[in-house]
């Protein structure tokens, strides 16, 4: 496994790999890797000859009040995990490499980014789209792997790739959960023992929604209301949003139709903001 710090060097390697007929699988990350990230690396390993992981905590996707400075890091451990999962190259640029003096061009996503996360983190997706576009141009992947955990992010990236004619495939891989159901996230490490217990309310709410759908509840507002009451009963939880939306464009829906709806949750437990989601009405 090779460590690459410079964008120019990474671009050159990727170009050579492409010329040699290799399929490049790319997993962009902000590090502090967990089994969710590693499932993406495994998926890339399975489908591609060459696996490139990037580790870069992108400052432009955090607002000044967010956790950029305290975002957890453990490069040594991350590199061991990447190696153990068959990564060929790890791209680890610094801020000057990604945002050198004079940098002023950004990618501004449209409606897909406006609501939900966009309402609570108005500059977030512009930062994500910009860094992902840069990484795509540097790593030149054939397939890029993203986690379903960041559901809206995956739609923003897909839209961007289509609108800006990136010649690649986006594969979205399933959420990986802790044994008790909590969706894996680097931010789970912020939770105290009590908060960790309280955080399970997201997974339990998802189960409740699935039970309602299984009993033929198809009304989106009824599910949102029931979940609102359920999550509000957890005293450590503060709801940012509970939304049942069209899973292709995140538009509001009245009724859940088969294979078309997603439940999205954003809940703060203490100071930690957690998101989770589940496709609803799917044949499983
Ligand atoms: O999902 C993430 O970890 C980040 O948003 C990404 C895609 C690596 C961009 O910084």
């Amino acid at each position: 496994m090779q460590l690459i710090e410079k964008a120019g060097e990474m671009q050159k390697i990727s170009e050579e790999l492409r010329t040699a007929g290799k399929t490049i699988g790319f997993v962009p990350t902000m590090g502090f890797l967990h089994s969710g990230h590693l499932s993406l690396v495994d998926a890339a390993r399975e489908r591609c000859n060459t696996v490139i992981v990037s580790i870069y905590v992108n400052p432009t996707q955090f607002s000044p009040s967010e956790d950029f400075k305290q975002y957890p890091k453990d490069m040594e451990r991350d590199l061991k995990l990447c190696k153990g999962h068959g990564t060929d190259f790890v791209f680890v640029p610094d801020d000057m490499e990604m945002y050198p003096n004079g940098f002023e061009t950004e990618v501004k996503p449209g409606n897909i980014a406006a609501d939900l996360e966009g309402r609570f983190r108005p500059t977030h997706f512009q930062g994500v789209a910009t860094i992902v576009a840069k990484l795509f141009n540097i790593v030149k992947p054939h397939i890029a792997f993203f986690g379903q955990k960041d559901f809206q992010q995956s739609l923003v990236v897909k839209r961007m790739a289509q609108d800006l004619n990136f010649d690649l495939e986006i594969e979205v891989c399933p959420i990986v959960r802790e044994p008790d159901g909590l969706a894996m996230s680097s931010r789970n490490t912020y939770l105290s023992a009590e908060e960790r217990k309280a955080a399970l309310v997201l997974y339990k709410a998802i189960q409740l929604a699935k039970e309602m759908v299984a009993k033929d509840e198809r009304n989106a507002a009824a599910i949102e209301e029931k979940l609102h009451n359920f999550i509000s009963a957890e005293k450590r939880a503060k709801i940012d949003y509970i939304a049942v939306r069209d899973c292709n464009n995140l538009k509001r829906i009245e009724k859940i139709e088969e294979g078309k709806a997603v439940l999205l949750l954003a809940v703060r437990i203490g100071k930690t903001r957690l998101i989770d989601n589940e496709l609803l009405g799917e044949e499983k």
Side-chain angles (χ1 to χ4, degrees):
M1 186 177 85
Q2 237 177 291
L3 207 63
I4 313 291
E5 292 176 352
K6 300 290 172 205
E9 192 189 350
M10 188 73 258
Q11 270 174 322
K12 193 162 166 276
I13 291 171
S14 299
E15 201 55 64
E16 285 165 5
L17 288 165
R18 280 185 162 254
T19 307
K22 303 284 186 201
T23 317
I24 302 176
F26 175 44
V27 181
T29 82
M30 298 206 300
F32 210 68
L33 304 181
H34 51 66
S35 307
H37 297 113
L38 298 173
S39 74
L40 305 180
V41 178
D42 293 344
R45 188 68 280 164
E46 204 156 288
R47 285 195 64 193
C48 306
N49 321 109
T50 306
V51 176
I52 304 181
V53 174
S54 66
I55 299 179
Y56 178 61
V57 185
N58 172 38
T60 66
Q61 68 190 76
F62 293 79
S63 77
S65 62
E66 289 179 342
D67 55 342
F68 173 63
K69 288 224 167 81
Q70 73 196 90
Y71 198 82
K73 289 186 183 65
D74 191 341
M75 187 58 90
E76 209 177 305
R77 183 174 161 274
D78 286 350
L79 294 179
K80 270 194 202 136
L81 288 169
C82 285
K83 195 167 180 195
H85 285 254
T87 303
D88 298 293
F89 298 91
V90 186
F91 179 50
V92 284
D94 64 14
D95 289 342
M96 277 311 282
E97 194 61 20
M98 296 314 273
Y99 298 106
N101 291 334
F103 181 92
E104 61 175 15
T105 305
E106 285 179 277
V107 179
K108 186 172 174 293
N111 285 334
I112 193 75
D115 199 3
L116 303 164
E117 286 303 285
R119 200 147 61 81
F120 290 88
R121 309 180 72 192
T123 56
H124 174 64
F125 285 126
Q126 185 158 326
V128 170
T130 302
I131 196 69
V132 170
K134 284 171 69 69
L135 289 167
F136 283 174
N137 282 327
I138 293 167
V139 173
K140 305 177 193 294
H142 294 88
I143 314 176
F145 296 80
F146 290 82
Q148 188 195 315
K149 158 97 183 340
D150 294 293
F151 192 87
Q152 190 173 8
Q153 168 172 282
S154 69
L155 292 187
V156 168
V157 170
K158 275 187 187 168
R159 185 76 257 164
M160 177 191 76
Q162 198 175 326
D163 290 350
L164 301 186
N165 301 89
F166 280 98
D167 187 13
L168 47 76
E169 184 189 328
I170 309 280
E171 183 171 324
V172 180
C173 299
I175 297 177
V176 178
R177 298 183 179 280
E178 301 282 357
D180 64 1
L182 181 67
M184 295 229 177
S185 162
S186 305
R187 289 189 169 101
N188 290 349
T189 174
Y190 300 152
L191 298 166
S192 69
E194 283 309 306
E195 288 170 346
R196 173 67 182 75
K197 277 187 214 149
L200 262 194
V201 76
L202 282 93
Y203 182 64
K204 288 183 187 158
I206 285 174
Q207 299 312 306
L208 180 57
K210 283 168 69 175
E211 279 163 28
M212 290 176 80
V213 173
K215 286 184 187 146
D216 254 359
E217 178 63 82
R218 288 288 179 270
N219 187 292
I223 294 177
E224 288 170 355
E225 190 187 337
K226 181 98 173 183
L227 264 51
H228 199 282
N229 294 337
F230 179 76
I231 295 177
S232 303
E234 167 52 63
K235 66 178 190 321
R236 289 187 161 80
K238 296 265 176 308
I239 298 165
D240 275 356
Y241 59 78
I242 298 168
V244 177
R245 295 289 173 92
D246 185 310
C247 66
N248 295 310
N249 53 29
L250 301 183
K251 290 202 173 130
R252 287 173 199 277
I253 51 172
E254 273 177 31
K255 279 207 168 317
I256 294 170
E257 285 173 46
E258 208 163 283
K260 273 199 152 172
V262 59
L263 165 68
L264 301 132
L265 305 175
V267 177
R268 280 169 289 134
I269 305 287
K271 287 194 173 125
T272 307
R273 189 168 181 281
L274 301 175
I275 57 172
D276 203 341
N277 66 80
E278 176 82 21
L279 292 165
L280 292 180
E282 276 213 318
E283 304 262 351
K284 287 226 165 136

